[in-house]
């Protein structure tokens, strides 16, 4: 008995089957957006869906040569399965910024996303169909005949896609232009286009020449007259959202420590981005959110350089994913991994590691200094690792990084514990600075971005800014100035209090730090400096006191 040869399948047919599979299994969020947008118009929904399938198929036909088709389809299946898992589990959009975040993350941060749920989805929707693609035999076809046929199929599919969209061009064009969240959730289109855009960004920024900035920075009259070293601590928070700070009106008392200290809390602050990779370089760049780009930031000196031009010693202490190139030219100290069983029980350290290093550095200061503390703060999904067991007032709290295993209340409790821990941490920094008698200390804190805790089905952060909710873009910011700093530099709590309820943003940070320190430079914009006018007010007040005293003296004479 002779065995018949195994049945084969054409590359074009296999490609169409994979496109249908991915569109059906990896795009629940996409179809959810589409059903909502086309509500009541089933014909338009079907037409648009068919057009998307044809577009995906026509583009895939460029990769149907025998040696290329299977590797291409394997990549498509694995990317779609992984991106779909994070999108459906956390509401994460895998775009260029998310890919940039992944590229800049650490193994400690990434491992908390490696869950059994991810493994299951990758096996079911990635590995099993990949094995089917690998082992299915392809029909052998002549190179030129196959190329001409598949090119014709691809062109015809693309033309049909355009024809379907032209049946109601006004509606479809408007939706594609205005409802960007739908195509941002399309798998694998969104991550593939994001990867291309990220690769282009890396090529554009690879060999940038850094332009000087703020080289005229110098000590103002009060800073120059200071009799002790002026020390500013800039604290970059992580994933702390303003909605859960009791200083801003949250019902739970998450900020008892700061409420007992003489700080100014700003109630309406917007972030530059929704991820560390965007917000941190933006905060220090001197560019406003409207002008910021990574290429622009990397191509010019930043706040750390300007501080150096003004004669300040700078130090970046990091318990997160690094300075994102901000401290590249002066170096940074990574403290996120340690062996202390209390502070670093799993190898990852909570922010007490920064307190230890700050306490060691302060007594050694002999010149004007700025210290940046980049905290791990409230970084998820493993919120329970961000605080010590004795500082967890809200219970029961989610004690796993797999948020799907916890109730909504448990997730919020764990997150609120991180906010309370940050509150304690900041109180400790203030107390430590206040206890130093040989320096003139001050502090400013701002979180890099916020966090979603399940609202509208979103978790974590890094949503595209155009669709990001307030939970990801409204952040806490506060300042503290010691009595010594008020006396020496003329910047008071009362001055900051005047802007406590103003609409502010990360744009203010760069210029306010320079203002707090009385650094004169053309890089500092008075309109964004929250200390602008403070010293004038102090000077006017002093002059009025002198005039009153002179008047009283003349009356007594």
């Amino acid at each position: 008995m002779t065995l018949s040869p195994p049945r084969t399948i054409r590359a074009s047919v296999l490609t169409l089957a994979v496109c249908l599979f991915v569109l059906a299994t990896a795009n629940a969020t996409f179809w959810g957006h589409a059903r909502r947008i086309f509500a009541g118009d089933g014909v338009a929904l079907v037409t648009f869906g068919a057009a998307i399938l044809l577009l995906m198929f026509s583009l895939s036909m460029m990769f149907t040569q025998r040696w290329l088709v299977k590797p291409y389809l394997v990549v498509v299946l694995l990317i779609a399965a992984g991106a779909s898992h994070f999108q459906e589990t956390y509401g994460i959009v895998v775009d260029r910024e998310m890919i940039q975040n992944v590229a800049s993350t650490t193994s400690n941060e990434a491992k908390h996303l490696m869950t059994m749920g991810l493994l299951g989805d990758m096996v079911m929707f990635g590995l099993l169909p990949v094995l089917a693609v690998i082992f299915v035999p392809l029909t052998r076809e002549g190179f030129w005949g196959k190329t001409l046929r598949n090119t014709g199929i691809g062109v015809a599919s693309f033309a049909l896609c355009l024809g379907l969209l032209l049946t109601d061009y006004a509606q479809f064009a408007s939706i594609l232009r205005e409802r960007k969240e739908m195509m941002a959730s399309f798998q694998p289109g969104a991550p593939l286009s994001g990867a291309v855009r990220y690769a282009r960004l890396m090529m554009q920024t690879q060999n940038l020449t850094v332009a000087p900035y703020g080289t005229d920075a110098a000590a103002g009259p009060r800073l120059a007259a200071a009799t002790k070293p002026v020390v500013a601590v800039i604290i970059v928070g992580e994933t702390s959202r303003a909605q859960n700070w009791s200083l801003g009106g949250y019902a739970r008392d998450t900020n008892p420590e700061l409420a007992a200290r003489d700080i100014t809390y700003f109630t309406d602050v917007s972030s530059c981005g929704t991820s560390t990779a965007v917000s941190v370089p933006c905060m220090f760049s001197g560019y406003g959110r409207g002008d910021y780009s990574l290429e622009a930031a990397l191509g010019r000196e930043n706040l750390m350089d300007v501080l150096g031009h003004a004669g300040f010693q700078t130090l970046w202490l990091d318990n997160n994913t690094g300075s994102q190139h901000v401290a590249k030219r002066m170096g940074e100290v990574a403290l996120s991994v340690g062996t202390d069983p209390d502070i670093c029980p799993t190898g990852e350290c909570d922010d007490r590691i920064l307190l230890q290093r700050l306490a060691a550095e302060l007594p050694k200061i002999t010149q004007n200094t700025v210290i940046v503390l980049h905290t791990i703060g409230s970084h998820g999904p493993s919120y329970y690792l961000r605080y010590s067991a004795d500082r967890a007032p809200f219970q029961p709290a989610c004690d796993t990084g797999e948020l799907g295993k916890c109730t909504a209340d448990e997730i919020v409790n764990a997150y609120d514990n991180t906010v309370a821990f940050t509150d304690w941490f900041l109180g400790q920094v203030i107390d430590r600075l206040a206890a130093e008698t040989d320096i003139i200390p001050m502090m400013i804190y701002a979180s890099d971005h916020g966090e979603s805790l399940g609202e509208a089905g979103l978790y974590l952060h890094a949503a595209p800014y155009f669709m990001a909710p307030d939970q990801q873009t409204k952040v806490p910011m506060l300042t503290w100035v010691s009595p010594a700093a008020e006396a020496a530099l003329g910047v008071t709590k009362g001055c900051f209090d005047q802007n406590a309820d103003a609409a502010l943003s990360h744009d203010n940070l760069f210029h306010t730090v320079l203002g707090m320190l009385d650094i004169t430079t053309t890089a500092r914009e008075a309109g964004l400096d929250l200390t602008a006018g403070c010293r004038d007010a102090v000077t006017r007040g002093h002059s009025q006191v002198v005039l009153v005293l002179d008047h009283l003296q003349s009356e007594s004479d």
Side-chain angles (χ1 to χ4, degrees):
M1 186 178 75
T2 59
L3 295 176
S4 60
R7 298 188 62 178
T8 61
I9 186 172
R10 283 185 172 179
S12 56
V13 176
L14 178 62
T15 299
L16 178 60
V18 169
C19 289
L20 284 167
F21 177 81
V22 169
L23 199 60
T25 63
N27 282 282
T29 297
F30 169 79
W31 288 117
H33 287 314
R35 285 194 297 271
R36 186 180 67 256
I37 291 169
F38 292 104
D41 192 347
V43 172
L45 173 60
V46 172
T47 301
F48 185 79
I52 291 298
L53 172 62
L54 288 166
L55 176 62
M56 182 180 176
F57 178 58
S58 64
L59 294 176
S60 297
M61 290 300 292
M62 294 188 294
F63 303 94
T64 51
Q65 288 302 327
R66 184 176 184 85
W67 56 271
L68 187 59
V69 61
K70 287 190 175 183
Y72 167 75
L73 294 178
V74 166
V75 169
V76 166
L77 285 164
L78 292 178
I79 289 177
S84 176
H85 168 82
F86 289 111
Q87 183 167 262
E88 305 309 325
T89 304
Y90 302 111
I92 289 174
V93 174
V94 185
D95 59 359
R96 192 221 74 186
E97 288 186 4
M98 179 57 70
I99 292 171
Q100 183 179 338
N101 295 331
V102 171
S104 63
T105 195
T106 63
S107 57
N108 274 336
E109 185 178 26
K111 71 183 181 182
H112 297 295
L113 296 172
M114 302 297 108
T115 63
M116 292 303 297
L118 172 62
L119 177 62
D121 284 348
M122 290 303 295
V123 169
M124 180 65 67
F125 302 109
L127 181 59
L128 292 179
V130 159
L131 291 175
V133 165
I134 290 174
F135 288 110
V136 67
L138 292 178
T139 303
R140 289 187 176 276
E141 303 174 80
F143 176 80
W144 289 112
K146 178 180 179 179
T147 299
L148 290 173
R149 181 170 53 256
N150 288 351
T151 299
I153 292 173
V155 171
S157 299
F158 187 72
L160 185 55
C161 166
L162 291 179
L164 290 174
L165 293 177
L166 287 173
T167 61
D168 195 349
Y169 175 78
Q171 178 181 204
F172 293 138
S174 175
I175 287 171
L176 290 171
R177 184 173 59 252
E178 303 296 334
R179 305 304 296 270
K180 296 179 181 180
E181 72 275 14
M182 181 170 64
M183 294 311 299
S185 65
F186 175 61
Q187 308 302 338
L192 287 174
S193 64
V196 171
R197 292 173 59 214
Y198 177 70
R200 185 169 66 243
L201 175 67
M202 290 300 99
M203 288 188 289
Q204 292 170 343
T205 58
Q206 190 171 19
N207 297 307
L208 285 176
T209 299
V210 179
Y213 186 50
T215 55
D216 62 340
R222 285 181 174 270
L223 177 59
T227 58
K228 298 177 182 178
V230 172
V231 177
V233 175
I234 303 172
I235 302 177
V236 181
E238 169 65 44
T239 321
S240 197
R241 68 187 207 177
Q243 288 87 346
N244 290 55
W245 280 55
S246 56
L247 288 174
Y250 187 49
R252 280 181 162 176
D253 189 11
T254 52
N255 302 124
E257 297 291 335
L258 288 172
R261 287 164 177 80
D262 210 16
I263 59 104
T264 297
Y265 179 79
F266 301 96
T267 62
D268 185 9
V269 182
S270 298
S271 65
C272 184
T274 61
S275 66
T276 302
V278 174
S279 282
V280 170
C282 181
M283 292 163 74
F284 286 82
S285 69
Y287 289 104
R289 195 181 80 83
D291 300 320
Y292 170 80
S293 70
L294 182 62
E295 185 176 5
L298 294 181
R300 191 178 77 175
E301 292 182 333
N302 58 55
L303 178 59
M304 304 301 284
D305 300 289
V306 178
L307 292 169
H309 296 324
F312 274 77
Q313 181 74 29
T314 58
L315 176 63
W316 187 290
L317 303 177
D318 204 281
N319 189 33
N320 203 313
T321 55
S323 71
Q324 307 296 320
H325 301 284
V326 172
K328 182 178 181 179
R329 286 172 291 281
M330 66 283 305
E332 57 192 273
V333 180
L335 300 170
S336 59
V337 178
T339 58
D340 187 314
D342 181 33
I343 296 177
C344 319
T346 64
E348 293 180 65
C349 302
D350 65 46
D351 287 326
R352 286 176 291 173
I353 197 72
L354 294 172
L355 291 177
Q356 285 186 352
R357 186 58 181 262
L358 179 65
E361 294 292 336
L362 289 177
K364 298 186 293 186
I365 291 175
T366 59
Q367 68 180 90
N368 294 339
T369 301
V370 171
I371 300 175
V372 179
L373 305 180
H374 188 194
T375 67
I376 194 65
S378 301
H379 198 286
S382 297
Y383 304 118
Y384 69 101
L385 293 178
R386 310 308 174 208
Y387 51 86
S388 57
D390 61 332
R391 299 191 182 280
F394 306 108
Q395 295 295 333
C398 183
D399 61 358
T400 175
E402 295 190 61
L403 300 183
K405 295 182 177 180
C406 299
T407 67
D409 287 343
E410 288 170 340
I411 294 170
V412 172
N413 285 342
Y415 184 82
D416 283 350
N417 285 335
T418 69
V419 176
F421 193 75
T422 294
D423 171 70
W424 173 82
F425 169 83
L426 294 174
Q428 292 297 299
V429 172
I430 291 171
D431 292 349
R432 182 71 224 188
L433 290 173
E436 294 291 327
T437 58
D438 294 328
I439 61 174
I440 299 172
M442 58 181 59
M443 184 193 83
I444 184 168
Y445 166 90
S447 182
D448 60 351
H449 55 79
E451 185 87 324
S452 288
L453 299 177
E455 300 87 359
L458 296 180
Y459 291 88
L460 306 183
H461 51 271
Y465 209 93
F466 72 86
M467 61 177 285
D470 285 350
Q471 287 85 2
Q472 295 190 32
T473 62
K474 291 296 184 180
V475 295
M477 186 168 80
L478 61 94
T479 55
W480 171 82
V481 285
S482 65
E486 290 189 336
L489 300 178
V491 177
T492 67
K493 178 183 182 300
C495 172
F496 281 121
D497 286 346
Q498 295 174 19
N499 290 300
D501 296 319
L504 306 175
S505 72
H506 279 162
D507 295 1
N508 296 101
L509 181 74
F510 177 99
H511 308 280
T512 299
V513 169
L514 296 175
M516 290 174 69
L517 295 171
D518 191 29
I519 294 174
T520 62
T521 171
T522 53
R524 175 178 145 201
E525 295 182 28
L528 293 171
D529 174 12
L530 300 181
T531 74
C534 290
R535 293 180 181 87
D536 292 340
V538 170
T539 302
R540 287 194 301 271
H542 179 265
S543 300
Q544 290 169 356
V545 170
V546 171
L547 288 174
V548 170
L549 291 175
D550 287 346
H551 175 72
L552 291 175
Q553 181 65 38
S554 63
E555 287 290 326
S556 64
D557 292 342

